[in-house]
Amino acid sequence: AVGVAGRGRFLIRGIGGFRAEGRAMAAAGCRGFLSQPDFWDTEGDAPILKFNTNDWLQNHTDEAIAHANGWLASMGIEPSRLDFDTTPLSSEGARIFRADANRTYRSEPNRNLMVKLLSFSQTKFGDYQQSLGYVAGLLLLFFDPATVFKVLTVLNDSPKFLPGYWRGEATACAVDGYVCLNLLRGPLKTKLLSLGLLPETFVQKWFAGVCIHHLPYSLLFLFLDRFFASGNRYLFQFFLAFFDEFEQDLMGAASNPEANALIRFETAPEPRLRQAVEAASGPKYEAVVRALDIHEARIRGFEDNLSRRLQGANEGMWQKRDDEITFSDEED
């Protein structure tokens, strides 16, 4: 069952002793997958937990649930009280839903529920992008699917959060990447472009995926606290704080792979990442973003970097193929 676990009885196999019982009691405070008595047995190596380094979530379950409840409060969302339907869909729709569910959880009931959530999301939002799946997968740890759907709705529809980011062709996300790039100091911007680090190559996971597949959980939950409180302004602020923190490293990078490893946080020391996450919510970066004419900056970002590329790609769809040309001597 995916609903609330029985609060008076918990049987955790393979974890052991009072520590396991303590985790179960903490997880009883949520309505997500963490409340399942066998969660760590069935999902302990689930892909969604890739960045659960040093078993942070097992050791900080009550803290993590408190963070997650704070996200709802920041968004003004009340948890759903529905007796939600866990029946799998008779038709799963696009294959990407099943693929993304399989790339997130291990147990078939949890995968089925995620497929249903992603399918409902695509139906209501009119499009789908894998980053939505990242966010949905993390939220399902803590909340029932009806509550997660409420959160996804606000994230997708509110101008404060991720409007247009979760489309198959995520132009809005790329535009905001160029808005942020244009706020960097000239030499650093030139260096990034010379290495081929275009914003659209990394802001999809930073912005649309809110770093869920980049940051270790010990930092991710701090990042998400700030994001849910401030919206996409915090994403812009984090962009600036990160590149301030790692400017000299990037200026010294000799190749695209070297710089890319840093931007994927693979070679970024955790204390310095923490510094960027925390500094991003400070007055220095808040002032920069608040002073920005975001409408004009987005127009410039689109017109200078994306408009011609998108026009050319779409125009090319009308290109007549050579094998479709009928020559006069081939006609009857």
Side-chain angles (χ1 to χ4, degrees):
V2 180
V4 181
R7 302 202 175 198
R9 52 184 178 81
F10 288 91
L11 177 61
I12 306 294
R13 299 179 302 277
I15 300 177
F18 294 108
R19 189 177 180 189
E21 184 178 350
R23 291 174 189 162
M25 292 299 293
C30 79
R31 283 171 54 91
F33 292 167
L34 281 176
S35 68
Q36 297 169 351
D38 60 350
F39 176 82
W40 292 107
D41 283 346
T42 59
E43 300 287 5
D45 66 342
I48 190 64
L49 300 172
K50 177 181 179 181
F51 290 92
N52 179 35
T53 52
N54 300 317
D55 292 338
W56 184 88
L57 186 54
Q58 292 96 313
N59 296 320
H60 298 82
T61 304
D62 52 351
E63 179 184 341
I65 292 169
H67 279 287
N69 288 334
W71 306 338
L72 295 191
S74 291
M75 302 178 80
I77 293 175
E78 291 290 331
S80 175
R81 299 303 177 196
L82 291 177
D83 183 12
F84 57 90
D85 182 7
T86 63
T87 306
L89 295 176
S90 57
S91 175
E92 294 186 348
R95 286 181 295 175
I96 187 65
F97 304 150
R98 167 54 64 173
D100 282 355
N102 290 354
R103 286 191 284 254
T104 305
Y105 285 105
R106 295 298 188 199
S107 79
E108 195 59 19
N110 289 350
R111 288 174 171 179
N112 286 337
L113 201 64
M114 185 167 176
V115 167
K116 191 170 187 175
L117 174 61
L118 299 184
S119 179
F120 283 1
S121 298
Q122 192 275 338
T123 298
K124 292 298 292 184
F125 304 159
D127 208 341
Y128 176 75
Q129 206 242 51
Q130 192 174 21
S131 298
L132 185 158
Y134 300 161
V135 179
L138 184 80
L139 293 172
L140 282 170
L141 289 171
F142 303 101
F143 306 114
D144 62 86
T147 300
V148 174
F149 200 14
K150 293 172 74 172
V151 176
L152 296 177
T153 299
V154 175
L155 292 177
N156 182 75
D157 292 355
S158 170
K160 179 178 179 179
F161 291 103
L162 306 175
Y165 281 21
W166 289 339
R167 302 197 66 78
E169 190 166 31
T171 303
C173 186
V175 166
D176 282 353
Y178 279 103
V179 169
C180 293
L181 183 72
N182 287 334
L183 295 174
L184 298 181
R185 284 181 280 274
L188 177 56
K189 175 182 174 181
T190 300
K191 177 68 174 183
L192 293 175
L193 294 177
S194 74
L195 291 171
L197 290 174
L198 303 176
E200 59 265 40
T201 65
F202 61 88
V203 294
Q204 181 171 315
K205 288 191 175 180
W206 279 25
F207 289 6
V210 289
C211 289
I212 287 170
H213 275 275
H214 276 336
L215 284 173
Y217 276 16
S218 59
L219 298 184
L220 175 65
F221 283 72
L222 301 177
F223 178 97
L224 292 176
D225 286 349
R226 291 157 170 79
F227 165 70
F228 283 109
S230 300
N232 59 22
R233 285 185 180 276
Y234 177 74
L235 302 179
F236 288 30
Q237 293 163 204
F238 174 74
F239 187 106
L240 298 177
F242 176 87
F243 283 107
D244 272 359
E245 176 65 33
F246 292 98
E247 179 171 2
Q248 293 308 311
D249 306 76
L250 289 162
M251 291 298 292
S255 66
N256 176 285
E258 180 184 353
N260 243 325
L262 185 59
I263 284 175
R264 290 194 301 267
F265 309 159
E266 293 170 1
T267 58
E270 190 168 319
R272 294 178 67 190
L273 277 176
R274 178 180 292 271
Q275 171 63 24
V277 168
E278 293 177 346
S281 57
K284 173 183 176 181
Y285 299 108
E286 284 183 347
V288 172
V289 175
R290 288 191 181 280
L292 182 65
D293 184 337
I294 188 66
H295 181 68
E296 289 299 323
R298 283 171 168 164
I299 291 173
R300 178 185 169 194
F302 178 78
E303 291 182 347
D304 291 352
N305 302 283
L306 297 169
S307 181
R308 290 185 180 179
R309 262 193 280 164
L310 292 171
Q311 290 178 52
N314 291 351
E315 178 188 24
M317 295 172 68
W318 288 93
Q319 178 68 46
K320 195 168 187 178
R321 299 177 183 175
D322 290 343
D323 59 3
E324 294 177 350
I325 298 174
T326 300
F327 295 95
S328 59
D329 61 356
E330 296 176 343
E331 296 177 348
D332 293 333

